[in-house]
């Protein structure tokens, strides 16, 4: 068989190994790994420089403690889910990923975009509407080969994994967004302070008595500072 015919054959059989585009096993494992890594980075940043975050929280140490605990809890849950997926992967001889994709495609594949695996390209590609229907049928057939007890256990296991991941990702998105906002607010304030220092030096060089452009710029920058600066 020529390379061209092999490629064509692989394209025609992509539906045999389908996955949900946004909820495929491999994409979940990859995203979970990114979340664990990002949590570790945030954890390191807070440990090294929690004054930055404390300043952004207006000096509220209780809020800083709650934020630290929330992120530590998230990091622990992410690592725990990662360990569970690895155990399932090892226990089922590397077949859990395929079982997971079969389950999700068979149950909700008609509501989400599906992709199929190309054995030649060793990657996933979008399926056409017709191929997507074939993919759901194939996945359903493999799922139905199990006994009723096995089927219920598999569905519960896969749906539980999917819900646990989405609950984790929602928590991560919220905490990460909060962290980025707080850090950006503090960075913005530090930038304002540096601009004021530069304006003060320029006004001092120009001469305060003349009340020139540099002195006016310094006055404007002071007025734009947030009220919390004067309280602190």
């Amino acid at each position: 068989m020529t390379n061209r015919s092999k490629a064509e054959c692989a394209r025609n059989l992509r539906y045999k190994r389908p996955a949900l585009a946004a909820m495929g096993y491999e994409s979940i494992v990859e995203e979970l790994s990114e979340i664990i890594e990002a949590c570790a980075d945030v954890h390191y940043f807070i440990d090294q420089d929690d004054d930055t975050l404390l300043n952004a929280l207006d000096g509220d140490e209780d809020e800083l403690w709650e934020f630290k605990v929330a992120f530590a809890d998230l990091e622990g849950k992410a690592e725990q889910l990662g360990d569970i997926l690895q155990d399932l992967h090892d226990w089922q001889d590397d077949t859990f990923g395929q079982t997971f994709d079969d389950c999700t495609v068979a149950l909700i594949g008609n509501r989400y975009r599906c992709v199929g695996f190309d054995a030649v390209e060793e990657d996933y590609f979008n399926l056409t509407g017709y191929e997507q229907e074939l993919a759901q049928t194939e996945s359903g057939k493999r799922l139905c080969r199990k006994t009723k007890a096995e089927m219920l256990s598999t569905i519960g296991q896969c749906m539980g994994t999917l819900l646990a991941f989405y609950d984790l990702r929602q928590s991560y998105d919220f905490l990460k967004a909060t962290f980025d906002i707080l850090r950006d607010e503090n960075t913005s304030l530090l930038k304002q302070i540096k601009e004021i220092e530069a304006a003060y030096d320029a006004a001092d060089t120009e001469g305060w008595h003349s009340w020139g452009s540099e002195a006016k710029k310094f006055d404007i920058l002071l007025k734009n500072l947030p009220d919390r600066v004067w309280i602190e």
Side-chain angles (χ1 to χ4, degrees):
M1 186 180 289
T2 65
N3 290 336
R4 182 177 178 181
S5 59
K6 285 182 180 179
E8 289 176 352
C9 183
R11 281 198 297 271
N12 293 331
L13 294 175
R14 284 175 182 173
Y15 70 90
K16 289 284 188 178
R17 184 180 162 187
L20 297 186
M23 293 179 279
Y25 178 77
E26 289 190 10
S27 64
I28 285 177
V29 170
E30 183 179 350
E31 190 169 351
L32 181 60
S33 177
E34 291 173 357
I35 289 175
I36 292 173
E37 185 177 347
C39 284
D41 290 341
V42 172
H43 197 164
Y44 177 80
F45 176 85
I46 294 174
D47 287 344
Q48 294 296 312
D49 184 20
D50 61 359
D51 287 341
T52 297
L53 197 56
L54 183 62
N55 290 335
L57 291 168
D58 297 334
D60 193 323
E61 294 186 355
D62 288 338
E63 283 195 32
L64 177 63
W65 173 252
E66 288 179 7
F67 188 84
K68 283 184 174 181
V69 170
F71 235 110
D73 182 58
L74 175 66
E75 187 176 13
K77 287 180 178 178
E79 291 177 349
Q80 184 181 33
L81 181 57
D83 290 340
I84 290 173
L85 290 180
Q86 185 60 52
D87 288 343
L88 287 170
H89 181 273
D90 295 340
W91 175 56
Q92 298 191 22
D93 298 326
D94 301 344
T95 62
F96 179 70
Q98 180 64 63
T99 301
F100 179 91
D101 288 335
D102 279 342
C103 184
T104 54
V105 171
L107 293 175
I108 54 177
N110 61 338
R111 296 176 179 83
Y112 297 92
R113 185 165 57 87
C114 288
V115 293
F117 186 78
D118 190 307
V120 173
E121 298 291 340
E122 295 188 347
D123 200 359
Y124 283 92
F125 296 88
N126 290 332
L127 296 177
T128 64
Y130 174 68
E131 289 173 329
Q132 191 158 314
E133 290 181 8
L134 290 177
Q136 293 166 34
T137 301
E138 286 294 317
S139 295
K141 286 179 180 178
R142 284 192 289 269
L143 198 59
C144 287
R145 293 191 189 115
K146 300 178 181 293
T147 65
K148 290 181 180 179
E150 290 173 338
M151 193 184 299
L152 288 173
S153 176
T154 298
I155 292 172
Q157 198 174 58
C158 294
M159 291 298 104
T161 299
L162 185 62
L163 291 173
F165 171 73
Y166 268 79
D167 180 59
L168 178 75
R169 190 169 73 171
Q170 185 178 29
S171 297
Y172 167 75
D173 288 342
F174 174 75
L175 284 174
K176 185 65 166 57
T178 302
F179 173 76
D180 289 341
I181 290 171
L182 292 173
R183 185 170 59 178
D184 288 347
E185 283 181 354
N186 194 68
T187 301
S188 177
L189 179 59
L190 291 174
K191 183 179 178 181
Q192 282 181 277
I193 292 172
K194 289 181 179 179
E195 289 177 350
I196 289 172
E197 290 177 348
Y200 177 89
D201 292 338
D204 195 50
T205 300
E206 184 182 59
W208 294 97
H209 61 278
S210 63
W211 199 244
S213 60
E214 296 298 337
K216 290 178 180 178
K217 179 180 178 181
F218 173 76
D219 187 53
I220 292 172
L221 288 172
L222 280 182
K223 288 180 179 179
N224 288 333
L225 277 174
D227 293 337
R228 71 182 179 91
V229 174
W230 305 109
I231 296 172
E232 292 171 2

